[in-house]
mmCIF file of all heavy atoms in Angstrom:
data_model
loop_
_atom_site.group_PDB
_atom_site.id
_atom_site.type_symbol
_atom_site.label_atom_id
_atom_site.label_comp_id
_atom_site.label_asym_id
_atom_site.label_seq_id
_atom_site.Cartn_x
_atom_site.Cartn_y
_atom_site.Cartn_z
ATOM 1 N N ILE A 1 16.129 9.147 3.063
ATOM 2 C CA ILE A 1 17.219 10.179 3.512
ATOM 3 C C ILE A 1 17.365 9.976 5.056
ATOM 4 O O ILE A 1 18.394 9.908 5.515
ATOM 5 C CB ILE A 1 16.677 11.501 3.134
ATOM 6 C CG1 ILE A 1 16.814 11.641 1.545
ATOM 7 C CG2 ILE A 1 17.650 12.512 3.720
ATOM 8 C CD1 ILE A 1 18.203 11.522 1.055
ATOM 9 N N PHE A 2 16.278 10.142 5.747
ATOM 10 C CA PHE A 2 16.380 10.181 7.207
ATOM 11 C C PHE A 2 16.947 8.838 7.794
ATOM 12 O O PHE A 2 17.862 8.916 8.613
ATOM 13 C CB PHE A 2 15.021 10.534 7.813
ATOM 14 C CG PHE A 2 15.057 10.932 9.213
ATOM 15 C CD1 PHE A 2 15.279 12.179 9.621
ATOM 16 C CD2 PHE A 2 14.914 9.912 10.223
ATOM 17 C CE1 PHE A 2 15.316 12.553 11.033
ATOM 18 C CE2 PHE A 2 14.979 10.271 11.531
ATOM 19 C CZ PHE A 2 15.143 11.565 11.951
ATOM 20 N N ALA A 3 16.176 7.760 7.486
ATOM 21 C CA ALA A 3 16.599 6.444 8.078
ATOM 22 C C ALA A 3 17.928 6.117 7.577
ATOM 23 O O ALA A 3 18.843 5.560 8.274
ATOM 24 C CB ALA A 3 15.537 5.391 7.799
ATOM 25 N N GLY A 4 18.220 6.358 6.264
ATOM 26 C CA GLY A 4 19.470 5.995 5.660
ATOM 27 C C GLY A 4 20.650 6.772 6.305
ATOM 28 O O GLY A 4 21.737 6.177 6.650
ATOM 29 N N LEU A 5 20.538 8.055 6.431
ATOM 30 C CA LEU A 5 21.556 8.923 7.024
ATOM 31 C C LEU A 5 21.798 8.471 8.523
ATOM 32 O O LEU A 5 22.949 8.606 9.013
ATOM 33 C CB LEU A 5 21.241 10.371 6.962
ATOM 34 C CG LEU A 5 21.301 10.994 5.561
ATOM 35 C CD1 LEU A 5 20.939 12.423 5.616
ATOM 36 C CD2 LEU A 5 22.761 10.881 5.065
ATOM 37 N N PHE A 6 20.787 8.128 9.175
ATOM 38 C CA PHE A 6 20.829 7.747 10.592
ATOM 39 C C PHE A 6 21.721 6.433 10.648
ATOM 40 O O PHE A 6 22.693 6.379 11.490
ATOM 41 C CB PHE A 6 19.579 7.487 11.243
ATOM 42 C CG PHE A 6 19.590 7.153 12.638
ATOM 43 C CD1 PHE A 6 19.642 8.126 13.760
ATOM 44 C CD2 PHE A 6 19.695 5.792 13.102
ATOM 45 C CE1 PHE A 6 19.696 7.813 14.917
ATOM 46 C CE2 PHE A 6 19.752 5.510 14.399
ATOM 47 C CZ PHE A 6 19.757 6.445 15.369
ATOM 48 N N CYS A 7 21.426 5.415 9.818
ATOM 49 C CA CYS A 7 22.152 4.209 9.954
ATOM 50 C C CYS A 7 23.598 4.414 9.463
ATOM 51 O O CYS A 7 24.470 3.756 10.016
ATOM 52 C CB CYS A 7 21.434 3.189 8.990
ATOM 53 S SG CYS A 7 19.772 2.703 9.511
ATOM 54 N N VAL A 8 23.794 5.259 8.369
ATOM 55 C CA VAL A 8 25.199 5.453 7.993
ATOM 56 C C VAL A 8 25.969 6.185 9.142
ATOM 57 O O VAL A 8 27.199 5.875 9.363
ATOM 58 C CB VAL A 8 25.254 6.202 6.751
ATOM 59 C CG1 VAL A 8 26.636 6.698 6.357
ATOM 60 C CG2 VAL A 8 24.548 5.506 5.531
ATOM 61 N N ALA A 9 25.398 7.113 9.730
ATOM 62 C CA ALA A 9 26.001 7.936 10.816
ATOM 63 C C ALA A 9 26.366 6.932 11.968
ATOM 64 O O ALA A 9 27.451 6.987 12.528
ATOM 65 C CB ALA A 9 25.094 9.013 11.337
ATOM 66 N N PHE A 10 25.403 5.980 12.337
ATOM 67 C CA PHE A 10 25.687 5.084 13.377
ATOM 68 C C PHE A 10 26.825 4.126 12.875
ATOM 69 O O PHE A 10 27.672 3.698 13.785
ATOM 70 C CB PHE A 10 24.357 4.356 13.684
ATOM 71 C CG PHE A 10 24.659 3.357 14.922
ATOM 72 C CD1 PHE A 10 24.675 3.878 16.168
ATOM 73 C CD2 PHE A 10 24.713 2.066 14.664
ATOM 74 C CE1 PHE A 10 24.897 3.075 17.263
ATOM 75 C CE2 PHE A 10 24.876 1.181 15.816
ATOM 76 C CZ PHE A 10 24.946 1.668 17.111
ATOM 77 N N ALA A 11 26.817 3.671 11.662
ATOM 78 C CA ALA A 11 27.911 2.822 11.193
ATOM 79 C C ALA A 11 29.261 3.440 11.351
ATOM 80 O O ALA A 11 30.232 2.800 11.674
ATOM 81 C CB ALA A 11 27.682 2.388 9.738
ATOM 82 N N CYS A 12 29.330 4.826 11.083
ATOM 83 C CA CYS A 12 30.573 5.521 11.174
ATOM 84 C C CYS A 12 31.032 5.572 12.619
ATOM 85 O O CYS A 12 32.347 5.356 12.915
ATOM 86 C CB CYS A 12 30.467 6.908 10.510
ATOM 87 S SG CYS A 12 30.261 6.963 8.752
ATOM 88 N N THR A 13 30.063 5.838 13.490
ATOM 89 C CA THR A 13 30.499 5.960 14.942
ATOM 90 C C THR A 13 30.841 4.549 15.420
ATOM 91 O O THR A 13 31.754 4.429 16.363
ATOM 92 C CB THR A 13 29.273 6.526 15.767
ATOM 93 O OG1 THR A 13 28.118 5.693 15.593
ATOM 94 C CG2 THR A 13 28.999 7.917 15.330
ATOM 95 N N ASP A 14 30.217 3.500 14.866
ATOM 96 C CA ASP A 14 30.574 2.267 15.368
ATOM 97 C C ASP A 14 31.912 1.783 14.934
ATOM 98 O O ASP A 14 32.704 1.220 15.740
ATOM 99 C CB ASP A 14 29.551 1.198 14.814
ATOM 100 C CG ASP A 14 29.798 -0.272 15.199
ATOM 101 O OD1 ASP A 14 29.878 -0.483 16.406
ATOM 102 O OD2 ASP A 14 29.924 -1.121 14.401
ATOM 103 N N GLU A 15 32.362 2.083 13.668
ATOM 104 C CA GLU A 15 33.714 1.799 13.254
ATOM 105 C C GLU A 15 34.731 2.696 14.052
ATOM 106 O O GLU A 15 35.794 2.301 14.363
ATOM 107 C CB GLU A 15 33.828 2.161 11.758
ATOM 108 C CG GLU A 15 33.061 1.225 10.824
ATOM 109 C CD GLU A 15 33.465 -0.249 10.979
ATOM 110 O OE1 GLU A 15 34.722 -0.457 11.069
ATOM 111 O OE2 GLU A 15 32.660 -1.098 10.947
ATOM 112 N N PHE A 16 34.383 3.946 14.380
ATOM 113 C CA PHE A 16 35.226 4.828 15.217
ATOM 114 C C PHE A 16 35.449 4.135 16.566
ATOM 115 O O PHE A 16 36.522 4.268 17.186
ATOM 116 C CB PHE A 16 34.660 6.239 15.272
ATOM 117 C CG PHE A 16 35.491 7.155 16.136
ATOM 118 C CD1 PHE A 16 36.772 7.590 15.696
ATOM 119 C CD2 PHE A 16 34.974 7.479 17.347
ATOM 120 C CE1 PHE A 16 37.427 8.430 16.517
ATOM 121 C CE2 PHE A 16 35.706 8.363 18.191
ATOM 122 C CZ PHE A 16 37.000 8.858 17.787
ATOM 123 N N HIS A 17 34.269 3.562 17.048
ATOM 124 C CA HIS A 17 34.352 2.987 18.386
ATOM 125 C C HIS A 17 35.339 1.788 18.371
ATOM 126 O O HIS A 17 36.034 1.514 19.373
ATOM 127 C CB HIS A 17 32.933 2.530 18.811
ATOM 128 C CG HIS A 17 32.953 1.495 19.926
ATOM 129 N ND1 HIS A 17 32.378 0.262 19.793
ATOM 130 C CD2 HIS A 17 33.474 1.567 21.238
ATOM 131 C CE1 HIS A 17 32.545 -0.446 20.907
ATOM 132 N NE2 HIS A 17 33.124 0.354 21.791
ATOM 133 N N GLN A 18 35.302 1.095 17.269
ATOM 134 C CA GLN A 18 36.190 -0.127 17.150
ATOM 135 C C GLN A 18 37.646 0.292 17.123
ATOM 136 O O GLN A 18 38.462 -0.697 17.472
ATOM 137 C CB GLN A 18 35.865 -0.969 15.850
ATOM 138 C CG GLN A 18 34.556 -1.567 15.886
ATOM 139 C CD GLN A 18 34.247 -2.454 14.672
ATOM 140 O OE1 GLN A 18 35.172 -2.999 14.070
ATOM 141 N NE2 GLN A 18 33.012 -2.473 14.208
ATOM 142 N N SER A 19 38.043 1.484 16.832
ATOM 143 C CA SER A 19 39.414 1.847 16.905
ATOM 144 C C SER A 19 39.997 1.907 18.267
ATOM 145 O O SER A 19 41.171 1.960 18.397
ATOM 146 C CB SER A 19 39.600 3.303 16.265
ATOM 147 O OG SER A 19 38.824 4.232 16.878
ATOM 148 N N PHE A 20 39.117 1.847 19.316
ATOM 149 C CA PHE A 20 39.613 1.909 20.679
ATOM 150 C C PHE A 20 39.518 0.458 21.325
ATOM 151 O O PHE A 20 39.862 0.293 22.459
ATOM 152 C CB PHE A 20 38.712 2.839 21.506
ATOM 153 C CG PHE A 20 38.746 4.255 21.114
ATOM 154 C CD1 PHE A 20 37.724 4.752 20.185
ATOM 155 C CD2 PHE A 20 39.774 5.041 21.518
ATOM 156 C CE1 PHE A 20 37.730 6.099 19.901
ATOM 157 C CE2 PHE A 20 39.749 6.421 21.124
ATOM 158 C CZ PHE A 20 38.800 6.874 20.273
ATOM 159 N N VAL A 21 39.116 -0.537 20.511
ATOM 160 C CA VAL A 21 39.055 -1.969 20.988
ATOM 161 C C VAL A 21 40.313 -2.695 20.510
ATOM 162 O O VAL A 21 40.732 -2.535 19.353
ATOM 163 C CB VAL A 21 37.800 -2.544 20.394
ATOM 164 C CG1 VAL A 21 37.718 -4.024 20.953
ATOM 165 C CG2 VAL A 21 36.549 -1.834 20.888
ATOM 166 N N ALA A 22 40.825 -3.392 21.480
ATOM 167 C CA ALA A 22 42.057 -4.242 21.165
ATOM 168 C C ALA A 22 41.828 -5.172 19.966
ATOM 169 O O ALA A 22 40.821 -5.972 19.993
ATOM 170 C CB ALA A 22 42.564 -4.923 22.438
ATOM 171 N N GLY A 23 42.740 -5.174 18.999
ATOM 172 C CA GLY A 23 42.635 -6.067 17.915
ATOM 173 C C GLY A 23 41.652 -5.708 16.856
ATOM 174 O O GLY A 23 41.410 -6.520 15.915
ATOM 175 N N ARG A 24 40.956 -4.510 17.007
ATOM 176 C CA ARG A 24 39.989 -4.090 15.954
ATOM 177 C C ARG A 24 40.468 -2.736 15.441
ATOM 178 O O ARG A 24 41.258 -1.998 15.982
ATOM 179 C CB ARG A 24 38.615 -3.803 16.701
ATOM 180 C CG ARG A 24 37.996 -5.007 17.479
ATOM 181 C CD ARG A 24 37.613 -6.239 16.535
ATOM 182 N NE ARG A 24 36.520 -5.847 15.818
ATOM 183 C CZ ARG A 24 35.176 -6.018 16.161
ATOM 184 N NH1 ARG A 24 34.936 -6.514 17.380
ATOM 185 N NH2 ARG A 24 34.201 -5.744 15.365
ATOM 186 N N SER A 25 39.939 -2.573 14.230
ATOM 187 C CA SER A 25 40.350 -1.258 13.518
ATOM 188 C C SER A 25 39.175 -0.835 12.601
ATOM 189 O O SER A 25 38.404 -1.707 12.136
ATOM 190 C CB SER A 25 41.600 -1.431 12.656
ATOM 191 O OG SER A 25 41.448 -2.452 11.727
ATOM 192 N N PRO A 26 38.973 0.431 12.426
ATOM 193 C CA PRO A 26 37.883 0.932 11.520
ATOM 194 C C PRO A 26 38.126 0.608 10.083
ATOM 195 O O PRO A 26 39.322 0.592 9.611
ATOM 196 C CB PRO A 26 37.816 2.411 11.868
ATOM 197 C CG PRO A 26 39.195 2.833 12.227
ATOM 198 C CD PRO A 26 39.752 1.631 12.966
ATOM 199 N N ALA A 27 37.093 0.414 9.319
ATOM 200 C CA ALA A 27 37.248 0.061 7.891
ATOM 201 C C ALA A 27 36.089 0.752 7.132
ATOM 202 O O ALA A 27 34.966 0.638 7.434
ATOM 203 C CB ALA A 27 37.305 -1.369 7.741
#
């Protein structure tokens, strides 16, 4: 639960970060 939620949360923020990068989009 703890490690899994942390990794999923970081993956979500990473995809959100890519929405601000040229030529990248969240998926």
Side-chain angles (χ1 to χ4, degrees):
I1 293 297
F2 192 91
L5 287 178
F6 183 89
C7 292
V8 172
F10 184 75
C12 292
T13 58
D14 182 54
E15 292 299 319
F16 179 72
H17 164 238
Q18 291 182 34
S19 63
F20 299 97
V21 180
R24 306 289 293 271
S25 59

